[in-house]
Amino acid sequence: MHRAPTISAVILDKILAFLAPLFLAAASGDTTAARQAARALLADYNPRTDNELRRAALIIAFDFGALDALSRSVADDLTLNQVLRLRGNANALNRASLQNQKALDALQQLDPELAEEAADMPASLEPADLARFARTAAPMSRQQRRLAERQAEKAQQRMQEQARRAQRAAEVAARRAASAQQPALQT
């Protein structure tokens, strides 16, 4: 029996508590108004599950973080290094927002029940399945993807090497058994 996916009130409250400070200045310090602004933005993403809600919250947080970093980068009293660092941070935050948007879009393409089940566990503990699960569970940077691919390749090479060693050990044991039988045959 499947239950209809829902958004947990506790998780929604926690996410609103995290997002509200982004809007406090614009809401003149009114926490209720700031939480309402965060709730309205979250509603625009139509989250159906806790996972989708979390993705939507990350998109909002990264977007506003990028805008904040860009806004700060135009201050007159900053060194060139500080300006470049702020713009680099804004770019990284924007990239993270886009990755979460892709993940949210992919989740929303699935049936909500299937989306929750798919996010629970990898298909198996095989390196390829773990790498595939990691790629779908959380968007990775190019470096993270390459690291996961290298780890999967190394694990596969280790398994192949173990198989080769086992085969060699079996061959050596067979040769020893054959050589042990030869003197017995000659006598």
Side-chain angles (χ1 to χ4, degrees), residues 51-142:
N51 194 17
E52 290 179 10
L53 180 69
R54 185 179 56 82
R55 292 283 181 191
L58 287 171
I59 293 166
I60 293 166
F62 288 142
D63 278 346
F64 278 89
L67 290 171
D68 182 54
L70 285 175
S71 174
R72 290 173 189 254
S73 74
V74 297
D76 293 333
D77 60 338
L78 296 178
T79 66
L80 179 61
N81 190 32
Q82 290 170 321
V83 169
L84 292 175
R85 183 172 291 155
L86 283 167
R87 290 182 183 170
N89 288 344
N91 187 36
L93 288 165
N94 184 54
R95 214 173 22 252
S97 173
L98 292 173
Q99 287 175 338
N100 278 285
Q101 182 66 56
K102 285 180 186 177
L104 177 61
D105 291 344
L107 284 172
Q108 289 182 333
Q109 293 295 321
L110 296 174
D111 177 36
E113 290 177 14
L114 294 176
E116 281 192 353
E117 289 174 13
D120 287 341
M121 296 292 291
S124 76
L125 295 179
E126 294 298 316
D129 286 336
L130 289 173
R132 190 176 311 109
F133 174 75
R135 280 194 293 273
T136 58
M140 293 189 283
S141 68
R142 182 176 55 232

Side-chain angles (χ1 to χ4, degrees), residues 159-173:
M159 289 173 29
Q160 290 172 345
E161 183 61 29
Q162 287 173 347
R164 278 193 291 266
R165 286 181 185 166
Q167 183 180 2
R168 281 189 212 137
E171 289 171 1
V172 167

Side-chain angles (χ1 to χ4, degrees), residues 8-55:
S8 167
V10 173
I11 292 175
L12 175 62
D13 189 54
K14 185 73 168 178
I15 287 176
L16 289 173
F18 283 133
L19 292 177
L22 296 173
F23 308 103
L24 271 177
S28 302
D30 182 1
T31 306
T32 304
R35 287 175 67 91
Q36 285 301 97
R39 184 184 296 269
L41 278 175
L42 285 169
D44 287 344
Y45 289 94
N46 298 317
R48 305 168 297 180
T49 65
D50 290 339
N51 194 17
E52 290 179 10
L53 180 69
R54 185 179 56 82
R55 292 283 181 191

